[in-house]
Amino acid sequence: MAPTMAATQFPTTTTEPSDHTEFVLLQGNGVKGLSDMGLKTLPKQYVQPLEERPSSFDNLLLHQQSIPIIDMANWQDPAVAEKICDAAEKWGFFQVINHGVPLQVLHNAKAATYRFFELPASEKVKYSKENSGTNNVRYGSSFSPDKEKALEWKDYLSLFFVSEDEAASTWPPACRDETLEYLKETETVIKSLLKVLMKRLNVKEIDETKESLFMGSKRINLNYYPICPDPDLTVAIGRHSDVSTLTVLLQDETGGLYVRDNHGSGENWIHVPPVSGSLVINIGDALQIMSNGRYKSVEHRVTANGSKIRVSVPIFVNPKPSSVIGPLPDVVASGEKALYKNVLYSDYVKHFFRKAHDGKQTIEFAEV
Ligand SMILES: CC(C)(COP(=O)(O)OP(=O)(O)OC[C@H]1O[C@@H](n2cnc3c(N)ncnc32)[C@H](O)[C@@H]1OP(=O)(O)O)[C@@H](O)C(=O)NCCC(=O)NCCSC(=O)/C=C/c1ccc(O)cc1
Ligand SMILES: O=C(O)CCC(=O)C(=O)O
Ligand SMILES: [Fe+2]
C-alpha cells in the first residue's frame, strides 16, 4: 500500500502552477498534485488565519483527558450500553473495538482509497462536480473551495449510496467493491449503536419508520491528506460538526484528528489516537437535534502532516433526505422544552454544504 509518486502536469518543477484552480480542481490534480510536485512552501491559498492554525490549540500536551475506547463484544450488557450513552452525552465521540467488522475489510477500504487517489488526474477528474454525470459521486479538494477564505489541505471522493446497482454503474471501479463491502459490514454495529442510544431516549423499538429516520441514507467519503510543505500554517479539515445521525470513521495510523473539549475553560482540543482495528464513532447534528440536545455533535478538525500521507474513510449515517427531523416525541413527552424546530433534512444538509466549515454554526439553522 506504499504511496507512489503520480505523474502530474508539472513533474520537474517545484514552482507553483500559475493557475491554481485550473490545476487542482479543473484538471483534477488535487492537492495531491501540488504535494507530488515537491513544493517547498505552502501556496498562499492554504494559509489559514492564525486562530485556525494548530498553534492556536491550548494545552495540547498537558491535556490528560481522552475520549473513551469501548469494547463492543458484549454490547447488550447494560454496563457497555451505559458507557456508549455516557460517551455520546459527554464527548460526542468514542472509539469502538471488537465491533465485528473484519480487519481485512478495514484494510481493504484504506487500500482502495490509495488506489483511487493514485489514479492519474485525467481519470479522477471524470468524477469532479463538473464532469460526474451524477450528484451522488463527487471528487474534489478542500470542502467548499469557492466559499472558503483559506483552502483545506485535502482531496476527497464522496459517494452517496442509493443502491448496489446504482453504485455498480456510477462509483469508480478502483474503490467501488471495497467501499460497498465496508458499508455492508458496518451495518450490524451501526444498528447496535442506534439501539443502545435510543433506549436511553425512551425509544424502545426501531421500527421501519424510525430506521428510515435514523439511517435512511448513507454517504461514504474517502479522504486523502497529502504530505504538506508547511503543516503549521494550514489545516487538513477545518472546525466542523457532522450533519449525520452518527458517523463511523476509519482512520489510519498517522493521527491528526482533534475533538473539541467543551468541559472547563479555554479552547482545548483532544487528539483521537489511532488504535489499530478500531472505529471512531461520533454523534452528528441530526442526532443532537432528535435527542433535543442530550447527545452532542462535537466540533472536530484535522491537522495537516509534514511527513506522512493520511487517509480516512467516514461513513455518514443519515436520515433520509425527505425526512423531517426535530426532537423525538419520545424525548419531549415528559414536558421537556423543544430546543429545535422541525426541518427537512435535505434543507439542513444543503445549508451545511453551501458554506465553508464554521464550527458548530450549522445547527443554528434548526434552533427554535
Ligand atoms: C442536499 C444533498 C447533499 C445534495 O442535494 P442536491 O439537490 O443534489 O443539491 P446540490 O447538488 O445543489 O448541492 C447543494 C450544495 O451542496 C454541495 N455539495 C453537494 N454534495 C457535496 C459533497 N459531497 N461535498 C461537498 N459539497 C457538496 C453542492 O456543491 C451544492 O453547493 P453549490 O454548488 O455551491 O450550490 C442531498 O444529497 C441530500 O440531501 N443528502 C442527504 C444525505 C447527506 O448527504 N447527508 C450528509 C451527511 S455528510 C456529513 O455529515 C458530513 C460531511 C462532511 C463532508 C466533508 C467534510 O469536510 C466534513 C463533513
Ligand atoms: O479524517 C478524519 O479523521 C475526520 C474527517 C471528518 O471529520 C469528516 O470527513 O467529516
Ligand atoms: Fe467530520
Side-chain angles (χ1 to χ4, degrees):
M1 213 164 58
T4 56
M5 295 283 276
T8 70
Q9 290 265 319
F10 304 84
T12 55
T13 171
T14 54
T15 313
E16 278 179 46
S18 55
D19 188 334
H20 177 270
T21 306
E22 170 76 19
F23 178 76
V24 173
L25 296 177
L26 301 180
Q27 292 175 2
N29 292 289
V31 174
K32 181 177 187 298
L34 292 174
S35 180
D36 288 347
M37 289 168 68
L39 294 179
K40 296 280 181 295
T41 51
L42 184 74
K44 60 179 184 313
Q45 292 86 346
Y46 297 88
V47 176
Q48 292 283 335
L50 268 176
E51 64 276 15
E52 298 298 335
R53 298 183 197 169
S55 56
S56 74
F57 296 13
D58 284 349
N59 296 337
L60 274 190
L61 294 171
L62 301 174
H63 211 73
Q64 298 300 314
Q65 298 267 24
S66 60
I67 66 161
I69 298 174
I70 301 174
D71 188 335
M72 288 279 288
N74 299 312
W75 65 272
Q76 278 162 313
D77 177 340
V80 178
E82 187 169 310
K83 279 189 194 156
I84 293 171
C85 296
D86 286 353
E89 286 189 13
K90 185 173 179 198
W91 297 110
F93 261 84
F94 50 99
Q95 304 207 53
V96 292
I97 53 171
N98 292 320
H99 41 61
V101 184
L103 296 183
Q104 189 65 44
V105 171
L106 303 184
H107 172 85
N108 293 348
K110 286 183 275 191
T113 303
Y114 272 98
R115 207 159 37 247
F116 175 77
F117 288 98
E118 286 175 352
L119 290 172
S122 56
E123 275 303 307
K124 290 186 284 192
V125 80
K126 292 179 183 164
Y127 302 98
S128 70
K129 182 176 168 183
E130 289 72 22
N131 303 329
S132 167
T134 163
N135 272 348
N136 300 332
V137 178
R138 178 186 296 250
Y139 161 63
S141 289
S142 210
F143 175 62
S144 198
D146 39 339
K147 324 272 173 15
E148 282 158 11
K149 289 201 197 92
L151 299 177
E152 298 177 343
W153 193 259
K154 83 153 188 181
D155 296 332
Y156 72 89
L157 176 71
S158 186
L159 304 165
F160 186 70
F161 180 78
V162 175
S163 69
E164 296 256 348
D165 284 350
E166 200 263 354
S169 62
T170 61
W171 291 16
C175 57
R176 179 182 59 213
D177 295 350
E178 295 79 3
T179 43
L180 281 172
E181 190 175 26
Y182 171 46
L183 267 180
K184 200 183 275 171
E185 291 286 345
T186 48
E187 187 104 7
T188 306
V189 66
I190 289 166
K191 285 190 170 155
S192 307
L193 287 166
L194 284 173
K195 204 163 175 185
V196 164
L197 290 166
M198 287 306 145
K199 200 164 167 204
R200 185 173 281 190
L201 298 182
N202 296 321
V203 178
K204 307 269 174 327
E205 196 209 347
I206 303 186
D207 58 15
E208 247 175 65
T209 313
K210 289 236 158 72
E211 187 166 306
S212 153
L213 181 62
F214 302 148
M215 53 180 294
S217 75
K218 283 185 187 154
R219 178 181 292 281
I220 182 162
N221 280 8
L222 311 189
N223 291 324
Y224 184 96
Y225 307 102
I227 294 171
C228 179
D230 201 340
D232 295 337
L233 297 183
T234 190
V235 295
I237 298 199
R239 295 179 296 111
H240 71 283
S241 63
D242 294 348
V243 291
S244 53
T245 304
L246 56 84
T247 304
V248 176
L249 175 89
L250 170 64
Q251 66 166 335
D252 68 11
E253 64 290 345
T254 304
L257 170 62
Y258 290 83
V259 174
R260 191 178 193 128
D261 175 6
N262 289 317
H263 312 90
S265 62
E267 189 172 322
N268 291 312
W269 291 83
I270 303 177
H271 189 231
V272 182
V275 173
S276 177
S278 78
L279 289 166
V280 179
I281 310 294
N282 66 282
I283 305 302
D285 291 354
L287 186 50
Q288 176 166 331
I289 292 168
M290 290 191 279
S291 70
N292 203 30
R294 184 152 188 181
Y295 295 136
K296 307 286 188 309
S297 167
V298 172
E299 247 178 281
H300 49 287
R301 56 173 160 185
V302 179
T303 51
N305 193 299
S307 57
K308 283 170 101 177
I309 295 166
R310 179 170 187 270
V311 297
S312 73
V313 193
I315 295 175
F316 302 103
V317 180
N318 311 307
K320 247 197 163 88
S322 57
S323 295
V324 172
I325 61 164
L328 293 167
D330 318 71
V331 176
V332 288
S334 56
E336 193 173 309
K337 186 171 167 287
L339 300 175
Y340 305 100
K341 52 194 179 202
N342 288 337
V343 294
L344 183 66
Y345 185 60
S346 63
D347 286 346
Y348 192 85
V349 176
K350 275 186 200 170
H351 174 66
F352 171 69
F353 279 142
R354 289 212 165 115
K355 55 190 178 49
H357 282 146
D358 56 359
K360 276 289 291 178
Q361 285 182 43
T362 319
I363 207 154
E364 289 171 12
F365 185 77
E367 278 170 3
V368 170

